[in-house]
Structure formats: structure tokens, C-alpha cells
Amino acid sequence: QVQLVESGGGLVQAGGTLRLSCAASGTIFSINAMGWYRQAPGKQRELVATITTGGSTNYADSVKGRFTISRDNAKNTVYLQMNSLKPEDTAVYYCNAHLPHTGSLSEDYWGQGTQVTVSS
């Protein structure tokens, strides 16, 4: 079992900055990758950024150059630095932990979400 707790969301004007944090606890030794997803009103949940235990990162095209995902293994925490925020970034942001197993088996855990609102 993995528990994820997000923090750092809030209200910010366009062009502003926020940093999201996600603290993991439980069987964290099994986590292969962590990431951030977001869901805007009326839209499907979409990937924002991921980072593996080896440090490899992946970003959605819409946030490349503006967002940076990072991790602190000592603190079991992943971060999302969000710069140059746009109104279209407004969404609930969810932390994800991916635990692969033998074959095609895997587990995914999700945080409760943190609201990010960007005003124009």
C-alpha cells in the first residue's frame, strides 16, 4: 500500500508560479515511477509529467519548458515546479505512483488532488 498526499495548490495570476509537492508513504520501495496528472472541468484526466527512480522525465507538450518535475528520495517526495502559469493550466492536480510487477501486472496509487486555479 502506498499513500500519497499532495500540497501546494492555490490561486495565482497568469504568469505566476506554484510548486506542488507529493509525499509518499507505505511500501515506497516498490515505486518505479511517480508523476502528476490533472483534470480540468469537463475534460479527461491527462498526464502532466512523470519521473522514474532513475531520474528520467517525461512531459506533456503543453507544459514543456514551463513545468519541471523533480524528486527528493531522502524525503520520499516528488515536486512539480510550475512557472509561467496560464489559465488553461487550471485543474485539479493529482499525484500518481506506479508500481510495476511481473509481466503486465502493475499498481497505481493516487493522491486526493490539489486545486490549481490560474486567473487571467
Side-chain angles (χ1 to χ4, degrees):
Q1 289 284 338
V2 174
Q3 295 81 46
L4 304 173
V5 179
E6 304 104 329
S7 62
L11 174 64
V12 65
Q13 292 186 347
T17 298
L18 287 173
R19 188 178 77 156
L20 306 183
S21 299
C22 175
S25 61
T27 55
I28 55 177
F29 60 87
S30 298
I31 298 175
N32 177 259
M34 296 183 68
W36 291 94
Y37 292 70
R38 67 187 182 187
Q39 187 166 22
K43 293 188 175 182
Q44 298 289 96
R45 185 177 298 185
E46 64 177 356
L47 181 146
V48 177
T50 60
I51 185 167
T52 69
T53 54
S56 297
T57 58
N58 183 54
Y59 297 91
D61 289 340
S62 59
V63 306
K64 286 181 179 178
R66 300 188 298 120
F67 292 7
T68 302
I69 189 170
S70 62
R71 60 184 172 87
D72 186 335
N73 290 333
K75 297 181 178 180
N76 300 316
T77 301
V78 64
Y79 305 94
L80 185 67
Q81 180 69 39
M82 307 166 66
N83 299 329
S84 302
L85 283 162
K86 304 175 181 179
E88 49 263 45
D89 294 319
T90 296
V92 177
Y93 284 70
Y94 296 92
C95 183
N96 166 265
H98 184 67
L99 287 70
H101 299 295
T102 303
S104 61
L105 299 177
S106 64
E107 293 181 275
D108 282 279
Y109 294 88
W110 298 90
Q112 291 298 117
T114 185
Q115 177 71 49
V116 171
T117 302
V118 184
S119 62
S120 60

